């Protein structure tokens, strides 16, 4: 196999209670496969808290993931892979993974550059043919993860459940190899309004100039330093979530901790300069499986009506379902709504309005 699994990696971060439960169940059951995390960020020698999950080697990079204990059906159960959005990581699925694992072989994975996955430095020149943080890269990562780690194949297909920009990565994976995908569920998918084709002609040079200034001057690093604090992360999350009570200290820590690792600022500045690549409305017609979209009506970043206008009527779109009283991250803000809908999608059934 292309992945080599050895001992558990260590890095900074807090372990959510539900993830502690998952890991305890893994240790008591089939056991954990471990991986050695390379010391690319280890200028310091002191012991650091253990990161929940395992690491998988992909194209020379360590990719963090969390695998829930398999359900009673074992390998006969479906495969479900949960994909986070911009600035997120596996912990954003801490309220979903345990329930999904009751009927599916369930995984959450950190995209390259995010969470506790490696954060290789992007090319100095921009744009570059060697650009790392693109949907093509992440789609390839997810596809290889599905095959190498989850064991997906034409006989054991995967369901992708994705949030925000992770939706584009999941769709890209489904397009790259349709033979292993049974369905894609998108939660508030990114509309990619900074894509060059969605900008007005007069807006393009201004947007490009701002992206260059943030990327190539200290302004971008200063901006990131203001956001990458407990107060800054809480403020951003309180914009994204409709219910402020859902923005807990646990959530703030889960999002912030990996954002303080070396390389995180370079990934952030590289991605906000990314105005090319695929659009979700271009990818949905290219998949060969049902696509279901769930959309928080109170999402301040991806407006519901613009999403409805963009996606409803596309080939392969099975459902476009608004979620009243929910913001941009419904899997975390309203798991009591999302978890049954994931189960319905994976095990069969219908629902939702177009």
């Amino acid at each position: 196999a292309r992945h080599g699994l050895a001992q558990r990696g260590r890095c900074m971060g807090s372990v959510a209670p539900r993830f502690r439960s998952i890991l305890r169940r893994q240790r008591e059951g089939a056991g954990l496969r471990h991986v050695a995390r390379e010391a690319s960020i280890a200028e310091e020698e002191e012991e650091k808290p253990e990161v929940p999950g395992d690491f998988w080697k992909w194209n020379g990079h360590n990719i963090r993931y969390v695998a829930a204990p398999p359900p009673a059906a074992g390998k006969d159960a479906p495969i479900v892979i949960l994909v986070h959005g911009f600035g997120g990581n596996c912990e954003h699925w801490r309220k979903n993974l345990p329930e999904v694992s009751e009927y599916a072989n369930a995984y959450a994975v950190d995209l390259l550059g995010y969470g506790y996955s490696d954060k290789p430095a992007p090319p100095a020149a921009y744009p570059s043919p060697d650009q790392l943080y693109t949907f093509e890269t992440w789609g390839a990562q997810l596809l290889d993860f599905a095959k190498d780690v989850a064991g997906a194949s034409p006989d054991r297909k995967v369901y992708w459940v994705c949030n925000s920009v992770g939706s584009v990565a999941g769709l890209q994976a489904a397009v790259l190899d349709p033979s292993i995908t049974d369905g894609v569920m998108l939660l508030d998918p990114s509309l990619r309004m900074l894509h060059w084709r969605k900008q007005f002609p007069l807006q393009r040079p201004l947007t490009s100039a701002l992206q260059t200034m943030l990327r190539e001057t200290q302004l971008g690093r200063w901006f990131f330093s203001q956001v990458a604090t407990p107060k800054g992360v809480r403020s951003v999350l309180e914009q994204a979530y409709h219910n402020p009570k859902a923005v807990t200290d646990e959530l703030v820590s889960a999002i912030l901790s990996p954002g303080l690792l070396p390389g995180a600022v370079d990934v952030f500045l590289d991605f906000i300069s990314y105005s090319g690549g695929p659009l979700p409305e271009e990818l949905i017609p290219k998949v060969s499986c049902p696509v279901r979209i769930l959309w928080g009506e109170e999402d301040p970043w991806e407006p519901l009506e613009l999403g409805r206008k963009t996606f409803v009527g596309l080939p392969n779109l099975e459902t476009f379902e608004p979620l009243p009283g929910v913001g941009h991250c419904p899997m975390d803000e309203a798991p009591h709504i999302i978890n049954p809908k994931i189960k319905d999608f994976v095990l069969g059934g219908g629902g939702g309005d177009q």
Side-chain angles (χ1 to χ4, degrees), residues 5-9 19-35 50-55 65-70:
L5 299 175
Q7 70 179 46
R8 171 74 55 82
F19 271 28
R20 279 198 291 265
S21 174
I22 290 173
L23 295 177
R24 183 173 62 252
R25 288 160 57 199
Q26 286 176 312
R27 293 186 188 103
E28 293 171 351
L32 292 171
R33 294 180 295 176
H34 302 293
V35 65
E50 192 173 350
V51 174
D54 296 316
F55 289 87
Y65 69 95
V66 175

Side-chain angles (χ1 to χ4, degrees), residues 126 131 134-136 168 192 194-197 199 211 271 273-279:
Y126 192 94
Q131 190 172 353
T134 68
F135 293 113
E136 290 85 356
V168 189
R192 302 209 62 206
L194 286 179
H195 195 285
W196 69 269
R197 274 181 281 159
Q199 297 178 43
Q211 290 169 326
F271 185 71
S273 299
Y274 181 40
S275 292
L279 293 166

Side-chain angles (χ1 to χ4, degrees), residues 32-344:
L32 292 171
R33 294 180 295 176
H34 302 293
V35 65
R37 179 169 177 82
E38 294 177 348
S40 59
I41 61 171
E43 289 85 7
E44 299 178 18
E45 295 293 332
E46 72 272 14
E47 188 78 1
K48 296 178 181 178
E50 192 173 350
V51 174
D54 296 316
F55 289 87
W56 160 67
K57 183 74 75 174
W58 180 71
N59 287 353
H61 306 300
N62 291 305
I63 302 297
R64 194 275 291 248
Y65 69 95
V66 175
K75 289 187 176 181
D76 291 331
I79 299 171
V80 176
I81 299 178
L82 309 172
V83 186
H84 64 80
F86 178 63
N89 58 73
C90 290
E91 273 76 9
H92 224 167
W93 299 99
R94 69 199 185 284
K95 299 177 183 178
N96 318 102
L97 194 62
E99 288 199 24
V100 176
S101 71
E102 293 174 1
Y103 57 86
N105 293 281
Y107 303 82
V109 59
D110 288 348
L111 296 173
L112 181 69
Y114 290 104
Y116 295 99
S117 288
D118 280 352
K119 299 166 177 55
Y126 192 94
S128 166
D130 300 319
Q131 190 172 353
L132 278 173
Y133 302 110
T134 68
F135 293 113
E136 290 85 356
T137 298
W138 289 322
Q141 174 199 328
L142 291 174
L143 183 63
D144 287 344
F145 177 85
K147 295 177 179 179
D148 290 357
V149 179
S153 70
D155 296 322
R156 289 191 70 225
K157 297 186 179 183
V158 61
Y159 290 87
W160 304 100
V161 180
C162 318
N163 175 234
S164 190
V165 299
S167 299
V168 189
L171 286 168
Q172 183 69 53
V175 168
L176 286 173
D177 188 350
S179 72
I180 68 161
T181 298
D182 251 350
V184 183
M185 174 177 278
L186 310 178
L187 310 177
D188 294 66
S190 172
L191 291 164
R192 302 209 62 206
M193 297 309 294
L194 286 179
H195 195 285
W196 69 269
R197 274 181 281 159
K198 292 192 173 183
Q199 297 178 43
F200 295 111
L202 293 178
Q203 180 187 359
R204 291 171 190 163
L206 297 175
T207 300
S208 178
L210 178 59
Q211 290 169 326
T212 299
M213 181 170 61
L214 289 172
R215 189 178 64 253
E216 298 182 0
T217 72
Q218 290 302 308
L219 180 62
R221 295 180 179 275
W222 174 85
F223 176 73
F224 183 82
S225 73
Q226 302 306 297
V227 175
T229 65
K231 181 179 179 180
V233 170
R234 182 176 295 275
S235 176
V236 170
L237 291 170
E238 287 178 346
Q239 293 176 31
Y241 285 54
H242 182 59
N243 176 13
K245 293 182 180 179
V247 182
T248 63
D249 291 343
E250 177 191 61
L251 174 63
V252 171
S253 177
I255 298 299
L256 174 61
S257 294
L260 298 176
L261 294 173
V265 61
D266 297 309
V267 176
F268 171 82
L269 295 175
D270 190 72
F271 185 71
I272 65 173
S273 299
Y274 181 40
S275 292
L279 293 166
E281 59 266 35
E282 297 172 336
L283 295 175
I284 290 175
K286 296 179 181 179
V287 303
S288 58
C289 63
V291 176
R292 190 172 295 192
I293 295 178
L294 308 179
W295 208 295
E297 288 187 355
E298 305 299 331
D299 188 336
W301 296 342
E302 309 290 350
L304 170 67
E305 291 307 317
L306 185 55
R308 192 194 304 272
K309 180 180 177 182
T310 301
F311 295 115
V312 170
L314 289 179
N316 303 314
L317 181 63
E318 179 183 86
T319 299
F320 185 100
E321 183 176 357
L323 304 174
V326 180
H328 185 65
C329 304
M331 71 286 186
D332 186 63
E333 185 175 0
H336 61 288
I337 296 175
I338 296 302
N339 287 339
K341 293 186 181 297
I342 296 175
K343 185 175 183 179
D344 174 70

